Amino acid sequence: MSPAPPRPSSQAVQLGTVVLDLDPAHPADGVADGWTPLSPSTPLRTQYSLFPRPHISNDAAYAIDSLHCGYRSDFDGESKLQNGKLVVRCWLTPSDVAQTSWRDRKGMQNSFPLRILFNHLRTSWDDGDGELLLSLGLEDDQTMTQLYAAVPSPSEPSSTSFSEEYDDEVHRRMDRYEEPEGVTTTLYQYQHMYRMETQPEKYVDPRWTAMQEVGRPGTYYINLDAGDVQRMPNWYDLPRGGILNEQMGVGKSLICLSLILATLNQPCLPPPNAVNPSRVTTTHREQTYPFDTDEKLRRIASIPSYHTSLSFPSLADICVDILAVHEPASAQSAELSLHLRSAIEGRRTLYYDMPLPDDQHKCGRGAKAKPKSEAVQRIYLANTTLLVCPAILVKQWLKEIRDHLKDGSLKVLEVASEQIPPIETLMQYDVVIMSVQRFAREERLHGPEANGEPSVLTQARWKRLILDEGHIAGSKVTNSMRLAQRLSVERRWAVSGTPTKNLRQGTEAEPVSQAPRPTGLSKTVTKISKVGKGKKVVKTQVEVQIHPRAWSNLEKDDLNRIGVIISVFLQAEPFKSDAGFQERISKHLVRADGPSMGAVRRLKHLMSALMVKHRPNEVDREITLPPCTRSPVLLEFHPMQRVTYNALAGLAASNVYTSEKDDPGCFLHPNNAKFANQVIKNLRLACFWYSAIDMGIAACIRRTAEFLKAPEEPRVQLLEATRLLQSALDWPGWEECMQNGGSVPFEGGDLSEAILGAWSPSPFNPDTIDTHSLLVLREANRGQVPEDDLVNQGLARRVAKEAELADGESKGVGKKAEGNLPTEETMSAAKQAKVVSHKSPTRRTKRARPDDDVDGRLAEAERNAMVAQVPDGPRPLPHTIETVSRSAKVNFVIRAILEADRSDKFVIFGDPSELGHLTEALDLFEVKSCFAGYGSGKGQRDQALMDFQRSEVRVCLLDLRLAARGLNLVLANRMIFLSPVWSLDTLEQAVKRCHRLGQTRPTLVQTLIVKDTIEEDIANRAATLRTEAEEKLYSRAMLEKPRFAYAESLPSERFTVDLVPALQRADRKSTPAEPSSDQSPISPEVRTPVHHMAAENVVGQASTGVDEAQPQRKRRRVAFV
């Protein structure tokens, strides 16, 4: 009677089965059909291997045989015959189980056969019909966007289990977390993230992959790199913080504020992994207690005796010091007297970071580890949150605090000065808010490379660091990230609805549910072998894996940015550095043949554990926003505007079709990328309005004529380009308008021929007058002013401009081209458009002056009164004219605003050049507007956004590059994009400025698109093709095959423009005086105390909304032409 087959113990892991083909030349005589233990007689040395390798044969059988001999009691199995094949089922005792033989083996001598075995194991236990254990599933083929969409909504925090014993206050506040103490606004269910701080998750070492036992329930982990199997490998505590990725416009700032309030009196603790910290003490105990332990600490810290005042503490002092360290929330307890509560609140806690003794510096091999610092470091424990955000959002954060929190619930300090206050001052506040630029400047002035005094911020361990618009944390080389990495912080939060360029919340599709074990990415192939002496051909069916697709460059970029946020900013174990994340996560995902098994799953688990975001449908169930209608508006060029666009396209076509790609003068030459990009930009600007000096049309036509004998295809394009270039020269007054004009031209209307002849950019065909000239003429259209005076003024301006142009040309004569610079024909299409300022030419320039400059304001009022009292006699110009511009987009915007309800407010996004033209047009129709963009300083942007709060300011013009990230502009219910936006991230960010929590009216979003132009192509582009790489390819394609526009139409209606100065209109009504545009409107009373440290403003402070360490664009010279 044969012995009973062995069975795996409860400590062993049931791995699965392996199927082996038997050698036909050596049949397995005597092998039983039932399960029998593995023994030397088991025919493992088979003829065929499942995965043949040139250096090893019969690899599966070799692995089983090697493991059975090498692992002795740790590895075992049994086999049986099934359909002419040998089925072997295997089990293994993990290496972390006591009394295993794993610890007796050294090196990696057995890891190789273990890896081979796992490549052949199947998920069946009773037979060999299961799929491969390590088969790649659908999960392994997921994209970064799918992983981001699959991040589950966070679970609600448990009220019974906390990570610290000091969380009673949070327990109390969480009972009413929809209406937390200190918050006046009712929170939604999704607006909490307490769990991440009070109950952080654990994360298994990412080198290990979780597996399920075969044939019975149970989990184990494998490390294929090390060839190891364990039941419970190392686990790490994830940081107390994370990445707040709630979709844009759902109140992320309020989520952060409620978190600060809920944990207001939780103590900040020393780092749990500190090498040699002292016990936590207080400043009072440090300076007064006479006990030996305190004296020893004073000696170590080198505290001089004149800084101490020793005396035996009273029982009350001892109790206050204990409570200040262990229970600071007692400062709010009504059971204690006011005196004791004040004493507890006034105690400052601290600890010392001390170097290790010399005998503890030694590493395992006897080498000395370099101590962190030879000096004892005094570290305050600051129960303060550092809030760092782009400069444009500082005022908005302060407004959120005023609007949503009770009076005095938080003590807030705004730091905007050159000198940060002492640490003792900073610790008196609950929140210290500063801009990213100010935060980064601290590293530049006091960082390790500055060789100066360390920053005040490094003197404390902070309770929390919140980085708003946390996508900027995706770069580890900026000054702000360097400082954030060096600071000692207990809890870190990166706040961003778009953590990377390509991951967007609210626009991703809901993840498709998958079965617990998806079908493997594998296929069956036929293997042909020759066996025996006669070389008999044998065909066998072999199952092989299909590797998932390799990750794209965009996904790799997203992974890198996520990795920097997790490892560098959040400092999550076990990474603590970008290199650690690359080694343990990234390298397994970015392989050339696709991610390895389990790599995607590990990243997915890490993202789910650190990201706080609810699925869009869950947020929609709680909040219902008014509808947001997105409407593309297809426009046709004004005929003159079409001529300009085609002239630019013709210049580009001539360059491309008459040059070789390796020609230094060709746009497609690598050295000319700058000029090629400028051509694309000019074509897009021409869809709004474009003018430039000396475009070189005639010279281009002459040069192109020499190439008209080219092959058929380029010849057709060159003939069309030549025809369109010639049509520009034939258009009456077009060249003069390009040369002399700058602003968008309007029809002359009822203006006299003399006025038009003097002020029109085209004296030979004076049918238009540019916006700037109309604004100047309106201010000059006063009673009893002769028309001849205006005519002479216009002629003088033209002469001055011609002289300025001639002087500019003379300065450029004689300069020789150096190296492979573009030819003059190349430069013609790449000339920058004329610059128009965003400031109205008739609006008085704002100057800084004290609030008590009464004399200045009285003088200004007197001047206005004198203007208003000018006799209203005959004027040289009509009171009104009927006119329309020659820009289809300007006409659309003006019509939309004039026809809209007076309560409607507009946010208009565009290029600074477009917004400059639009500013003048709005001033012409007396529509009050404000501008915020990269070209304006922080103070100007803040003032502009404050102005937009005023009812009379109807339009806010925003630089599209800014995308107004994080701004709350729910006052506006109309949005206009002056051109299609390529980046969907930028588009969604911009739309969410208005369509967000707090919006009470339906929102209309309109995108202006000119027919037959590159704008139409961009608007029709699929979302998957709107990547940066695709944009470069598209831009190159546009240059290789320039496209001409043929659709045009004349405007069917005119607008009425008042040409009487506003202060002299006889029909004006008496209205209450409005605040001057030079004066800041009075802000509502600040209910929560906010202190501003701005006594020493920094001259020339960068105010771009990004880290000052990043490259800045040079400002163009602004001039009226």
Side-chain angles (χ1 to χ4, degrees), residues 86 113 196 742 744 750 1030 1066:
L86 185 67
M196 305 288 285
V744 176
D750 296 331
E1030 190 69 25

Side-chain angles (χ1 to χ4, degrees), residues 794-861:
L795 293 174
R797 290 176 73 251
R798 180 178 297 157
V799 170
K801 282 197 293 185
E802 291 175 352
E804 182 181 358
L805 176 61
D807 181 60
E809 291 178 346
S810 65
K811 292 181 179 179
V813 174
K815 293 185 178 179
K816 297 182 179 180
E818 299 179 2
N820 293 333
L821 293 179
T823 62
E824 183 62 30
E825 288 80 4
T826 304
M827 289 295 296
S828 297
K831 286 184 177 294
Q832 290 192 1
K834 295 179 180 178
V835 179
V836 176
S837 173
H838 305 98
K839 298 178 180 179
S840 168
T842 61
R843 207 178 287 167
R844 190 177 302 278
T845 302
K846 190 183 301 183
R847 294 184 299 272
R849 65 186 182 190
D851 291 339
D852 59 352
D853 184 11
V854 179
D855 293 339
R857 298 189 181 186
L858 289 176
E860 182 177 348

Side-chain angles (χ1 to χ4, degrees), residues 404-568:
H404 299 295
L405 304 187
K406 294 180 181 178
D407 301 352
S409 56
L410 285 180
K411 291 175 287 186
V412 181
L413 173 69
E414 178 191 359
V415 175
S417 64
E418 178 69 15
Q419 185 69 33
I420 289 185
I423 187 64
E424 293 80 6
T425 301
L426 295 178
M427 292 175 62
Q428 296 175 12
Y429 295 91
D430 302 314
V431 178
V432 174
I433 182 171
M434 66 181 74
S435 68
V436 175
Q437 295 90 341
R438 182 64 193 84
F439 188 72
R441 184 177 297 108
E442 198 67 11
E443 174 70 8
R444 181 167 56 85
L445 296 178
H446 303 285
E449 298 179 1
N451 296 323
E453 289 294 325
S455 170
V456 172
L457 299 179
T458 62
Q459 298 177 16
R461 174 169 172 80
W462 304 93
K463 175 188 285 187
R464 188 182 291 107
L465 171 61
I466 297 177
L467 182 59
D468 192 13
E469 296 304 323
H471 57 277
I472 62 180
S475 173
K476 60 182 178 181
V477 299
T478 58
N479 281 337
S480 57
M481 278 297 290
R482 291 192 185 102
L483 179 57
Q485 188 176 11
R486 290 197 303 112
L487 289 183
S488 178
V489 182
E490 186 179 55
R491 316 165 192 196
R492 295 169 179 261
W493 286 97
V495 181
S496 177
T498 53
T500 71
K501 294 181 180 179
N502 309 297
L503 298 181
R504 302 176 306 279
Q505 168 75 327
T507 58
E508 77 272 29
E510 289 293 326
V512 179
S513 59
Q514 297 180 351
R517 179 175 288 280
T519 303
L521 298 176
S522 60
K523 65 179 180 180
T524 302
V525 299
T526 300
K527 174 188 171 185
I528 300 177
S529 304
K530 294 182 179 181
V531 300
K533 295 181 178 179
K535 300 297 181 183
K536 180 181 177 181
V537 176
V538 178
K539 296 182 179 181
T540 55
Q541 299 294 315
V542 179
E543 187 176 4
V544 298
Q545 295 189 33
I546 303 174
H547 286 288
R549 58 166 189 84
W551 279 28
S552 67
N553 290 333
L554 289 177
E555 289 175 298
K556 293 177 183 177
D557 180 67
D558 286 338
L559 176 64
N560 180 64
R561 289 175 177 272
I562 290 291
V564 172
I565 294 175
I566 291 175
S567 59
V568 179

Side-chain angles (χ1 to χ4, degrees), residues 14 21 66 110 114 146-147 150 207 223 334 362 418 439 465 469 520 557 568 592 723 758 791 807 925 989 1013 1099:
Q14 294 186 178
D21 291 322
S66 299
N110 290 305
L114 191 65
Q146 290 171 327
L147 290 178
R207 292 172 296 188
N223 183 341
K362 294 183 179 181
E418 178 69 15
F439 188 72
L465 171 61
E469 296 304 323
D557 180 67
V568 179
R723 184 185 72 82
V791 172
D807 181 60
F925 290 91
Q989 281 282 357
T1013 66
V1099 178

Side-chain angles (χ1 to χ4, degrees), residues 89-115:
R89 60 186 183 189
C90 313
W91 57 87
L92 180 70
T93 304
S95 65
D96 57 344
V97 174
Q99 297 180 352
T100 61
S101 60
W102 290 72
R103 292 173 174 78
D104 299 332
R105 299 184 305 276
K106 296 183 179 179
M108 302 285 289
Q109 58 185 4
N110 290 305
S111 62
F112 182 61
L114 191 65
R115 288 199 298 268

Side-chain angles (χ1 to χ4, degrees), residues 680-734:
I680 296 295
K681 181 178 180 179
N682 288 348
L683 287 171
R684 298 194 66 173
L685 290 178
C687 295
F688 189 92
W689 183 254
Y690 174 89
S691 64
I693 299 172
D694 189 16
M695 295 177 62
I697 302 292
C700 182
I701 293 175
R702 291 192 298 271
R703 180 176 179 272
T704 305
E706 302 174 4
F707 293 85
L708 292 181
K709 295 181 181 180
E712 185 65 23
E713 183 179 352
R715 182 174 180 273
V716 173
Q717 278 84 0
L718 286 174
L719 282 173
E720 182 65 3
T722 303
R723 184 185 72 82
L724 293 173
L725 288 170
Q726 187 62 48
S727 67
L729 297 180
D730 295 341
W731 183 278
W734 181 84

Side-chain angles (χ1 to χ4, degrees), residues 73-95:
S73 61
D74 294 341
F75 179 86
D76 207 345
E78 51 192 1
S79 63
K80 74 173 182 177
L81 284 177
Q82 177 179 312
N83 300 327
K85 299 179 185 290
L86 185 67
V87 179
V88 182
R89 60 186 183 189
C90 313
W91 57 87
L92 180 70
T93 304
S95 65

Side-chain angles (χ1 to χ4, degrees), residues 333-459:
S333 174
E335 298 178 1
L336 299 179
S337 67
L338 178 61
H339 171 72
L340 289 178
R341 296 203 302 268
S342 300
I344 295 171
E345 195 170 28
R347 294 290 201 267
R348 297 287 172 251
T349 57
L350 58 97
Y351 73 97
Y352 287 92
D353 190 6
M354 298 179 291
L356 288 171
D358 291 339
D359 59 348
Q360 296 184 32
H361 284 160
K362 294 183 179 181
C363 300
R365 297 186 179 182
K368 282 192 174 183
K370 184 178 180 180
K372 181 179 179 181
S373 174
E374 294 298 338
V376 176
Q377 294 183 328
R378 189 187 206 209
I379 308 295
Y380 285 95
L381 293 172
N383 293 328
T384 305
T385 295
L386 295 179
L387 202 163
V388 180
C389 64
I392 197 171
L393 299 182
V394 171
K395 297 300 181 185
Q396 178 162 311
W397 270 99
L398 297 177
K399 183 177 182 299
E400 294 286 330
I401 292 172
R402 292 194 301 266
D403 292 347
H404 299 295
L405 304 187
K406 294 180 181 178
D407 301 352
S409 56
L410 285 180
K411 291 175 287 186
V412 181
L413 173 69
E414 178 191 359
V415 175
S417 64
E418 178 69 15
Q419 185 69 33
I420 289 185
I423 187 64
E424 293 80 6
T425 301
L426 295 178
M427 292 175 62
Q428 296 175 12
Y429 295 91
D430 302 314
V431 178
V432 174
I433 182 171
M434 66 181 74
S435 68
V436 175
Q437 295 90 341
R438 182 64 193 84
F439 188 72
R441 184 177 297 108
E442 198 67 11
E443 174 70 8
R444 181 167 56 85
L445 296 178
H446 303 285
E449 298 179 1
N451 296 323
E453 289 294 325
S455 170
V456 172
L457 299 179
T458 62
Q459 298 177 16

